[in-house]
CSV table of all heavy atoms in Angstrom, one decimal:
chain,number,residue,atom,x,y,z
I,37,CYS,N,-82.4,110.3,51.7
I,37,CYS,CA,-82.7,109.6,53.0
I,37,CYS,C,-84.2,109.3,53.0
I,37,CYS,O,-85.0,110.2,52.6
I,37,CYS,CB,-82.3,110.4,54.2
I,37,CYS,SG,-82.5,109.4,55.7
I,39,LEU,N,-85.7,108.3,55.9
I,39,LEU,CA,-86.2,108.5,57.3
I,39,LEU,C,-86.4,110.0,57.5
I,39,LEU,O,-85.8,110.9,56.8
I,39,LEU,CB,-85.3,107.9,58.3
I,39,LEU,CG,-85.2,106.4,58.3
I,39,LEU,CD1,-84.4,106.0,59.5
I,39,LEU,CD2,-86.5,105.7,58.3
I,40,ARG,N,-87.0,110.4,58.6
I,40,ARG,CA,-87.2,111.8,59.0
I,40,ARG,C,-87.0,111.8,60.5
I,40,ARG,O,-87.9,111.6,61.3
I,40,ARG,CB,-88.5,112.3,58.6
I,40,ARG,CG,-88.8,112.4,57.1
I,40,ARG,CD,-87.9,113.4,56.4
I,40,ARG,NE,-88.1,113.5,55.0
I,40,ARG,CZ,-87.3,112.8,54.1
I,40,ARG,NH1,-86.3,112.0,54.5
I,40,ARG,NH2,-87.5,112.9,52.8
I,41,CYS,N,-85.7,112.0,61.0
I,41,CYS,CA,-85.4,112.0,62.4
I,41,CYS,C,-85.7,113.4,62.9
I,41,CYS,O,-85.3,114.4,62.2
I,41,CYS,CB,-84.0,111.6,62.7
I,41,CYS,SG,-83.5,110.0,62.0
I,43,TRP,N,-84.4,115.2,65.1
I,43,TRP,CA,-83.2,116.0,65.4
I,43,TRP,C,-82.3,116.2,64.2
I,43,TRP,O,-81.2,116.7,64.3
I,43,TRP,CB,-82.4,115.4,66.5
I,43,TRP,CG,-81.8,114.0,66.1
I,43,TRP,CD1,-80.7,113.8,65.4
I,43,TRP,CD2,-82.4,112.8,66.3
I,43,TRP,NE1,-80.5,112.5,65.2
I,43,TRP,CE2,-81.6,111.8,65.7
I,43,TRP,CE3,-83.6,112.3,66.9
I,43,TRP,CZ2,-81.8,110.5,65.7
I,43,TRP,CZ3,-83.9,111.0,66.9
I,43,TRP,CH2,-83.0,110.1,66.3
I,44,CYS,N,-82.6,115.7,63.0
I,44,CYS,CA,-81.7,115.6,61.9
I,44,CYS,C,-81.0,116.9,61.6
I,44,CYS,O,-81.7,118.0,61.5
I,44,CYS,CB,-82.4,115.1,60.6
I,44,CYS,SG,-81.3,115.0,59.2
I,46,SER,N,-79.0,117.4,59.1
I,46,SER,CA,-78.6,117.5,57.6
I,46,SER,C,-79.8,117.3,56.7
I,46,SER,O,-79.7,116.4,55.9
I,46,SER,CB,-77.4,116.6,57.3
I,46,SER,OG,-77.7,115.3,57.8
I,49,THR,N,-79.7,116.7,52.9
I,49,THR,CA,-79.3,115.5,52.3
I,49,THR,C,-80.5,114.6,51.9
I,49,THR,O,-80.3,113.5,51.3
I,49,THR,CB,-78.4,114.6,53.2
I,49,THR,OG1,-79.1,114.2,54.4
I,49,THR,CG2,-77.2,115.4,53.7
I,50,TRP,N,-81.7,115.0,52.4
I,50,TRP,CA,-82.8,114.1,52.2
I,50,TRP,C,-83.1,113.8,50.7
I,50,TRP,O,-83.6,112.7,50.4
I,50,TRP,CB,-84.1,114.7,52.9
I,50,TRP,CG,-84.0,114.7,54.4
I,50,TRP,CD1,-83.0,114.0,55.2
I,50,TRP,CD2,-84.9,115.3,55.3
I,50,TRP,NE1,-83.3,114.3,56.5
I,50,TRP,CE2,-84.4,115.0,56.6
I,50,TRP,CE3,-86.0,116.1,55.1
I,50,TRP,CZ2,-85.1,115.5,57.7
I,50,TRP,CZ3,-86.7,116.6,56.3
I,50,TRP,CH2,-86.2,116.3,57.6
I,98,GLY,N,-74.3,109.7,55.1
I,98,GLY,CA,-75.4,110.3,54.3
I,98,GLY,C,-76.0,111.5,55.1
I,98,GLY,O,-75.3,112.1,56.0
I,99,GLY,N,-77.2,111.7,54.7
I,99,GLY,CA,-78.3,110.8,54.1
I,99,GLY,C,-78.2,109.4,54.5
I,99,GLY,O,-77.6,109.1,55.5
I,127,HIS,N,-78.4,104.2,58.8
I,127,HIS,CA,-79.5,104.1,59.7
I,127,HIS,C,-79.9,102.7,60.0
I,127,HIS,O,-80.7,102.5,60.9
I,127,HIS,CB,-80.8,105.0,59.2
I,127,HIS,CG,-81.4,104.5,58.0
I,127,HIS,ND1,-81.5,103.3,57.5
I,127,HIS,CD2,-82.1,105.3,57.1
I,127,HIS,CE1,-82.2,103.2,56.4
I,127,HIS,NE2,-82.6,104.4,56.1
I,149,LYS,N,-82.9,103.2,65.5
I,149,LYS,CA,-83.9,104.3,65.6
I,149,LYS,C,-85.0,104.0,66.5
I,149,LYS,O,-85.5,102.8,66.6
I,149,LYS,CB,-84.4,104.6,64.2
I,149,LYS,CG,-83.4,105.0,63.1
I,149,LYS,CD,-82.7,106.3,63.5
I,149,LYS,CE,-81.8,106.8,62.3
I,149,LYS,NZ,-81.0,107.9,62.6
M,1,SF4,S1,-81.3,108.9,59.0
M,1,SF4,FE1,-79.7,110.5,59.2
M,1,SF4,S2,-79.9,111.8,57.3
M,1,SF4,FE2,-81.8,110.5,57.6
M,1,SF4,S3,-83.2,111.9,58.7
M,1,SF4,FE3,-82.2,110.6,60.2
M,1,SF4,S4,-80.4,111.8,60.9
M,1,SF4,FE4,-81.2,112.7,59.0
Side-chain angles (χ1 to χ4, degrees):
C37 187
L39 294 187
R40 297 293 180 261
C41 304
W43 66 84
C44 180
S46 49
T49 67
W50 289 351
H127 64 30
K149 300 293 189 188

